[in-house]
Amino acid sequence: VRRVMTRAGIASGAEPVPGPAREFPYTVGDFRRIADILRNETGIALTEVKAPLVYSRLVKRLRELGLQSFESYCALISQADEVEERRVMSAALTTNITRFFREPHHFEHLRTVVLPPLIDLALSGGRVRLWSAGCSSGEEPYSIALTLLSLLPDAEHYDIKILAVDIDPNVLALGRAGLYSARAMADVDPAMRATWFSRAPQGETEMWSVAPPLRDLVTFRELNLIAPWPMRGAFQAIFCRNTVIYFDQEVQRQVWRDMAAVCAPGGHLYVGHSERMAGTDLFELAGLTIYRRAEDR
Ligand SMILES: C[S@@+](CC[C@H](N)C(=O)[O-])C[C@H]1O[C@@H](n2cnc3c(N)ncnc32)[C@H](O)[C@@H]1O
C-alpha cells in the first residue's frame, strides 16, 4: 500500500489527496474511510493510488445529496441505518467492464468439453445449472446461453438454467432489460445475432434486444459474493471472471472455497485471464484459466 508521506512519516489523513484543485474538500482520511467501508461491504480492496478515481466516481453523488465535503459524505455512510447509501456508494465504485464472449477460449471449452455431456443429461430429464458470478450487465451469462443455444436451440424445453448474480443493482437492471448497442453486439456472431436478438425499434442508435428463448434461460439476482449465499448448488459450470481479482487474497481464497462447495463433482470453474488459483487442492487445472473440481470430493 502506497501511503502519502509527510514530514512526520505516514500521513495522518488530514491532508488533501494530492491532485488538481477540487470542487469538494477530499482528504487522505476520507479516502481511507470510504475504502474501509467498501471493503466491508463488497470485499473490494482499494490502494491509495485509487484515491483520485474514488473522488471522480462519487463527486456526482455529493452534488445530488447537496453535501459540501467528503467528510460529511463519510459521516453519512458511517451511520448504521444508511444501508442504502452504502449500496449506492458501492455500486458507484465497482468496475463493470465486460463484453460478449470475453475470453473466447472459455466459450470454446464450454461448447466442446463441458456442454455436450450436460446436454445429454438434460435430454434424459436431468438438471443442468450454470452460474455467472459477477455477471455485470449480462454479456457473460447471455454468452453462456448463446453457446448452449448453438448446440441445443430448444434448450428452453429442458431443465437448464443460468443464474447470473452481481452486487450492483444498476448492472442487473441492464442485464434484465437485455438491450445492447451495435458496438456491444460486434462481439456476437451475425448468425447468432439474427436468431437470438431482435432489432429494437427505439431511437436512432442501433440497439438489439435479447429474444425470449435467450432471455428465459438467464435469471438475474442480486447477491454479494462475500456474504452468505442462499443457493446450495450444484453448478456444473461456474464463471467467476474479473470479479474476485479486486478482493484481498484471503477473501479470494474464501470465495474459491465457497465455490468449490457449490460446484458439482467434475464441474468446471472459469476465472479471469490474470487470475490464478494458487495453493488449493479444491480444483485441478483443466486449461488456461479453467479449473475442474475433483470427482471424489
Ligand atoms: C469487471 S466486472 C466482470 C464481469 C464479467 N464477469 C466479465 O468478466 O466480463 C466485475 C463485476 O463484479 C461485481 N462485484 C464486485 N464485487 C462483488 C461482490 N462482492 N459480489 C458480487 N458481485 C461483485 C461488480 O459489480 C462487477 O459487475
Side-chain angles (χ1 to χ4, degrees):
V1 178
R2 191 170 69 84
R3 295 260 185 230
V4 178
M5 302 299 280
T6 65
R7 239 174 294 159
I10 294 203
S12 69
E15 57 291 314
V17 169
R22 296 191 175 95
E23 179 181 350
F24 299 105
Y26 177 50
T27 67
V28 172
D30 296 334
F31 165 74
R32 288 185 193 149
R33 278 175 80 183
I34 291 169
D36 279 351
I37 292 171
L38 182 72
R39 186 192 303 246
N40 266 333
E41 294 285 313
T42 68
I44 297 171
L46 297 180
T47 57
E48 278 178 24
V49 290
K50 293 280 164 62
L53 179 77
V54 165
Y55 181 94
S56 62
R57 294 268 187 97
L58 293 176
V59 66
K60 194 166 137 251
R61 190 67 190 146
L62 266 76
R63 283 188 210 121
E64 281 166 2
L65 294 168
L67 297 174
Q68 304 300 321
S69 69
F70 271 74
E71 189 178 5
S72 37
Y73 188 65
C74 287
L76 179 72
I77 54 174
S78 303
Q79 288 170 31
D81 59 348
E82 287 292 343
V83 180
E84 189 49 35
E85 189 55 38
R86 282 191 289 278
R87 289 174 75 211
V88 171
M89 183 200 82
S90 301
L93 295 176
T94 52
T95 300
N96 306 121
I97 293 168
T98 187
R99 55 193 301 178
F100 283 105
F101 296 99
R102 185 179 193 176
E103 303 294 323
H105 75 277
H106 283 167
F107 296 94
E108 189 56 20
H109 182 272
L110 183 70
R111 190 177 68 80
T112 57
V113 178
V114 171
L115 285 178
L118 293 180
I119 287 173
D120 288 344
L121 177 68
L123 294 177
S124 58
R127 175 188 149 109
V128 174
R129 293 292 180 271
L130 312 172
W131 184 19
S132 164
C135 64
S136 191
S137 37
E139 286 86 337
E140 181 177 276
Y142 286 131
S143 300
I144 299 170
L146 286 164
T147 307
L148 170 67
L149 288 167
S150 72
L151 298 173
L152 186 68
D154 61 343
E156 59 186 317
H157 297 129
Y158 301 94
D159 188 6
I160 308 179
K161 287 189 180 140
I162 300 161
L163 174 68
V165 313
D166 202 283
I167 197 174
D168 181 348
N170 304 326
V171 291
L172 289 168
L174 294 173
R176 285 191 192 105
L179 201 59
Y180 297 98
S181 67
R183 204 166 150 206
M185 294 300 294
D187 298 312
V188 180
D189 172 71
M192 257 182 189
R193 188 183 73 179
T195 313
W196 304 114
F197 291 80
S198 56
R199 178 83 191 264
Q202 50 190 103
E204 279 174 19
T205 31
E206 184 183 328
M207 299 294 281
W208 291 83
S209 175
V210 297
L214 174 56
R215 184 187 301 268
D216 293 349
L217 284 171
V218 182
T219 306
F220 289 93
R221 288 266 181 278
E222 190 173 327
L223 181 84
N224 186 349
L225 289 173
I226 66 157
W229 304 342
M231 59 293 179
R232 300 235 164 79
F235 296 99
Q236 289 107 337
I238 301 173
F239 281 66
C240 185
R241 309 184 308 159
N242 311 297
T243 297
V244 304
I245 190 153
Y246 301 103
F247 302 170
D248 283 336
Q249 288 287 322
E250 199 186 316
V251 181
Q252 285 190 21
R253 272 196 290 274
Q254 185 58 49
V255 173
W256 298 140
R257 276 198 292 273
D258 293 346
M259 291 212 161
V262 297
C263 188
H268 285 80
L269 172 66
Y270 298 90
V271 304
H273 59 93
S274 58
E275 297 170 273
R276 296 290 177 275
M277 207 178 295
T280 166
D281 58 356
L282 302 170
F283 292 93
E284 61 203 33
L285 196 63
L288 179 63
T289 56
I290 304 172
Y291 293 85
R292 187 171 176 278
R293 211 194 108 173
E295 295 277 1
D296 56 354
R297 294 186 71 90

